[in-house]
Structure formats: C-alpha cells, structure tokens
Amino acid sequence: MTKQIYYDSAYLQEWQTTIRKVVERAEGVYLLLEETAFYPEGGGQPWDKGTIGGMNVLEVAMEGEQILHKVDRLSLAEPETTVICRLDWARRFDHMQQHSGQHLLSAVCLQALEAPTLSFHLGEEYATIDIRLDELSWERMEMLEREVNRHIYLNHAISSYFVTAEEAAELPLVKAPKVTSGIRIVEMQDVEYNACGGTHVSSTGEIGMIKLLKAERQKGNIRIYFLCGYRALREFNEVQRTLNALALKFNTGRADILSRIEKWEQEHKQLQHDLSTQKEINDGYLLRELLSGSTGGVVAYEFEDRSLKDLQQLATRLAAETALPVLLLAAGENKVVLAQEASEGFSCGAFFKENLSPYNGKGGGNEKMAQAGFGSLEEASAFYEYAKQVLSDR
C-alpha cells in the first residue's frame, strides 16, 4: 500500500522516497513509490503534477491500495532507487482553493436554498457544481456570492481527520460516506462536516474569494460555474483589461461604455440601411447594364470582389428579368453561380452535377439556382468558360 502523505499535510511540496516498482504498459511507464504527496484523480479533483527524480509526472491514478505515477521517461527509475519528488505547487494550491471553495459554496447552497450538491467538477478554466434546484435567479446568485465570501472573511478553520463508521454516524455529515472504514472527514468549523478524500486549504481565508460566473439548467437541475482564489483574481484582471480597452476605444469612462456601445449599434444599423439602399440602386444600374450587354444566349459576367451571397441575389434578380440563363463568377472566392427561371428540359442543379467533376468543383442546387466552389481560380474560370460556351450553344 502506498503511504498517502498528502493526508499528513496538503502543504508538503518536496520529499524523498523510494521507488518500489516500475510498471511498463502500452500506454506508458508508471512508478510505484513507497510514499507520495501526489494526489490521484478522484472526487472531482484532478491529479497533481510535478517531478520524480527529474522525471515529469503526467498522471497519477489510484489502483486498489496503490498509487501509480505515469512519467514522461525512465531516468534511473529502478526499484529501490531513492528519488527526490517535487510537487507542482501552483497547481496543487489552485486545486486546494477550488475544492475548499466548492465545499463552502455547497454548504451555503444547502443552508440558504435547501439545495444539495449532486456533483462537482474541477476543470482547467473553471469549476462547477450541480445542485438540486429548479431555477436560480440572478438575485439569489448575488445572495449566494455575498454569503460565501462572508464566510471567507470569517476565516473558519478547515481540518481533516479519519474516523470509524461509528464515529462518522455521530457527526452531522452532509451525506453518508461511500466507504465503511478509513473514513476521512473534512471539517469546516461552524459550517459543515463532509466525508472527503481531497486536499484543502487550512482555513476559508485561504480560498481568497469566490466569484460565481453563471448558472444554467442541466438535466432538470442547476449548474453553477465559479472561480476561487487566484483564478477569480485572474478573471477580474482580464475583465478589467477588456473594460479599459473598450473605454479607450470609445473615448469614454467605464461607466458610460454600455451607452456608447448602444449608440454605436444604432449608428451601425443606420449605416447598414444606407449601404443596403445604395447597393440596391447600384445593382439596378448593373442589372440593366448586364442585360443590355448580354450576347450569345447567356448573361455572363466575372466579378473580382463580390461575395457568393451577393452574386446569388444578383443572379436571382437577373433571372427574373430575362429568360436567358445567368452565369456569374466570384473570382475572389472561386465560386460560380447559375440561375434561370423554369425552363423546360433544363435544370441548373442537374447541369452542375453533370459537369463539375472534370474541374474538381463541388456544389449543387435545384432547377432554378445552382452554385459551386473550386480549389483554385484557374479551375473556377475554366468551368465558367466551359459553362458559358455550352449555355450559349443551347
């Protein structure tokens, strides 16, 4: 059995121990140590990282009563070798802050909302808890945030210890433990008793702060996204940088950013309306020019800077004004559009389907409209010229 010295102190960062076994598997090399402060994944908390004799620890897993450490390489890793182990302390302390923060948040949810926690997940970017609750308003979210941070300021002591099943039965535990022996209790003084095998800070003050990000419905319950400690501080700094950049961009104070954005949106909508109106007028002139200049039984034209969407709209308008097929090339996007009002015995989509392959084109459509894309302008132009010739000779 691997001695789990992270239970003696979650703050141990460096220790000396002995490699008891080297396990080589298809998925990698694992070391079995006599004692370890590397926490294995469990209870919603990820595994620790660090080094063992200079080898990087990639993963830590519990198998029965043994803890296996996956390393990136073998370096003097033989049984009975004495090694120095070093914990990635920033990662460990982050996990301690998030996990202790979760205990506190779950306790407040239970006390204030009568909502027990169903699950906990600690991810790289944020942590979540799922609570048994139908809905959670923004007002109650703010209440929860104030209450959990009030408990942080009270700086309740957090301790852990092992008890028997009989002793556990005498404690006001949040829920019954899953094991019947070696039951570890994490006690948050004056807040809660919880059966938990994770690593925690020594007082609520070390959580630093808790920021609730959002709440959403998840399988009939509520999922709360939150950050604790340094994660919350980093989030605040990112938001601060964004606000400062917006204030500088709009040349206003942070308090007036929203009103300036609303004004900008109104101006943008007006500009879009004016642009659309002018585009309609210009397209009208272009439409008449293309119709008057059409020869050979097809209306065909190449555009350098028009999008496929623009050409689809233009082709539709042109097809409504003439019985001729309309063939347009969007050179900037290597796209070709074909449109024609219903013509007996001819389908735009079928024409493309039958002729695209030699030009490596992909696309399709229906009787009245078809479009295709090509890997290069050369291929798009070659198909355009081919289609123009075939349609002219029809």
Side-chain angles (χ1 to χ4, degrees):
M1 176 179 178
T2 308
K3 184 178 180 181
Q4 297 155 280
I5 55 177
Y6 48 80
Y7 284 151
D8 298 334
S9 173
Y11 291 83
L12 181 65
Q13 300 177 44
E14 183 177 316
W15 68 101
Q16 182 175 295
T17 189
T18 302
I19 297 175
R20 287 303 182 198
K21 189 176 182 181
V22 177
V23 180
E24 296 191 46
R25 297 176 177 173
E27 63 270 23
V29 179
Y30 296 81
L31 303 182
L32 182 64
L33 304 178
E34 182 174 340
E35 54 187 8
T36 186
F38 290 109
Y39 182 79
E41 183 177 24
Q45 181 176 325
W47 61 77
D48 286 325
K49 291 184 179 181
T51 60
I52 298 173
M55 297 170 285
N56 293 316
V57 176
L58 306 177
E59 183 182 344
V60 186
M62 175 77 77
E63 289 191 3
E65 295 185 342
Q66 307 290 2
I67 296 178
L68 295 178
H69 308 75
K70 184 178 181 180
V71 292
D72 63 343
R73 66 186 188 281
L74 281 176
S75 176
L76 302 178
E78 297 182 1
E80 304 309 317
T81 300
T82 299
V83 288
I84 300 296
C85 300
R86 293 184 175 88
L87 199 66
D88 181 340
W89 176 244
R91 178 180 171 90
R92 159 63 74 79
F93 189 66
D94 170 64
H95 292 170
M96 290 163 63
Q97 285 189 314
Q98 310 310 312
H99 203 161
S100 297
Q102 176 264 313
H103 275 225
L104 180 54
L105 177 58
S106 292
V108 171
C109 285
L110 187 60
Q111 294 164 6
L113 304 177
E114 298 183 352
T117 293
L118 305 174
S119 64
F120 162 56
H121 173 70
L122 175 51
E124 293 290 337
E125 301 297 327
Y126 52 79
T128 64
I129 57 169
D130 287 4
I131 59 174
R132 184 175 293 123
L133 196 67
D134 292 332
E135 60 179 357
L136 182 61
S137 67
W138 186 251
E139 289 74 21
R140 290 206 291 178
M141 277 268 289
E142 290 181 327
M143 178 274 293
L144 285 177
E145 189 172 85
R146 286 194 302 271
E147 185 63 10
V148 292
N149 283 287
R150 184 180 71 85
H151 281 292
I152 287 175
Y153 306 147
L154 290 174
N155 201 27
H156 303 286
I158 300 175
S159 58
S160 61
Y161 44 85
F162 288 90
V163 298
T164 63
E166 292 75 17
E167 291 170 330
E170 298 298 319
L171 296 174
L173 297 178
V174 174
K175 59 182 178 181
K178 295 180 180 179
V179 295
T180 56
S181 62
I183 302 170
R184 182 169 179 265
I185 303 300
V186 174
E187 178 185 347
M188 193 172 291
Q189 190 175 34
D190 299 327
V191 178
E192 70 160 16
Y193 293 82
N194 207 326
C196 175
T199 57
H200 293 270
V201 294
S202 61
S203 67
T204 57
E206 287 189 64
I207 298 171
M209 66 180 294
I210 297 179
K211 179 61 186 173
L212 306 188
L213 301 177
K214 64 177 181 178
E216 62 183 24
R217 288 186 62 80
Q218 183 72 21
K219 297 181 180 179
N221 299 299
I222 295 296
R223 176 167 294 173
I224 299 176
Y225 294 75
F226 65 96
L227 302 171
C228 300
Y230 287 118
R231 290 194 187 192
L233 180 61
R234 286 194 297 270
E235 175 71 10
F236 176 82
N237 288 336
E238 286 297 323
V239 171
Q240 192 78 3
R241 276 192 286 270
T242 300
L243 287 175
N244 288 340
L246 287 171
L248 183 63
K249 186 176 185 65
F250 288 100
N251 193 27
T252 187
R254 283 175 295 175
D256 298 322
I257 288 175
L258 285 179
S259 61
R260 289 300 300 271
I261 290 177
E262 289 172 358
K263 181 181 178 182
W264 176 83
E265 286 178 337
Q266 293 172 357
E267 293 173 347
H268 181 70
K269 287 179 181 178
Q270 184 60 49
L271 286 173
Q272 285 293 104
H273 177 268
D274 294 344
L275 181 62
S276 296
T277 301
Q278 190 60 47
K279 187 174 179 296
E280 285 286 326
I281 296 172
N282 291 341
D283 282 353
Y285 289 121
L286 177 61
L287 183 146
R288 290 193 290 273
E289 182 180 340
L290 292 176
L291 289 176
S292 63
S294 61
T295 59
V298 63
V299 179
Y301 199 82
E302 301 180 36
F303 292 89
E304 294 293 332
D305 55 1
R306 288 255 184 161
S307 68
L308 174 65
K309 184 177 179 180
D310 281 347
L311 293 196
Q312 287 173 326
Q313 293 172 349
L314 182 60
T316 300
R317 291 185 62 183
L318 282 165
E321 297 290 333
T322 178
L324 298 175
V326 178
L327 184 69
L328 305 177
L329 169 65
E333 297 185 5
N334 305 332
K335 302 285 178 64
V336 176
V337 175
L338 175 63
Q340 186 176 21
E341 283 299 304
S343 176
E344 186 176 347
F346 181 79
S347 166
C348 297
F351 178 78
F352 270 34
K353 184 177 181 181
E354 293 168 2
N355 296 286
L356 282 174
S357 181
Y359 303 91
N360 297 317
K362 294 182 179 180
N366 53 35
E367 289 186 357
K368 294 185 178 183
M369 171 76 75
Q371 56 280 319
F374 301 83
S376 67
L377 177 57
E378 290 74 18
E379 291 171 330
S381 296
F383 177 76
Y384 169 79
E385 292 296 336
Y386 167 78
K388 183 168 65 171
Q389 184 63 48
V390 172
L391 294 170
S392 296
D393 296 340
R394 241 182 354 118

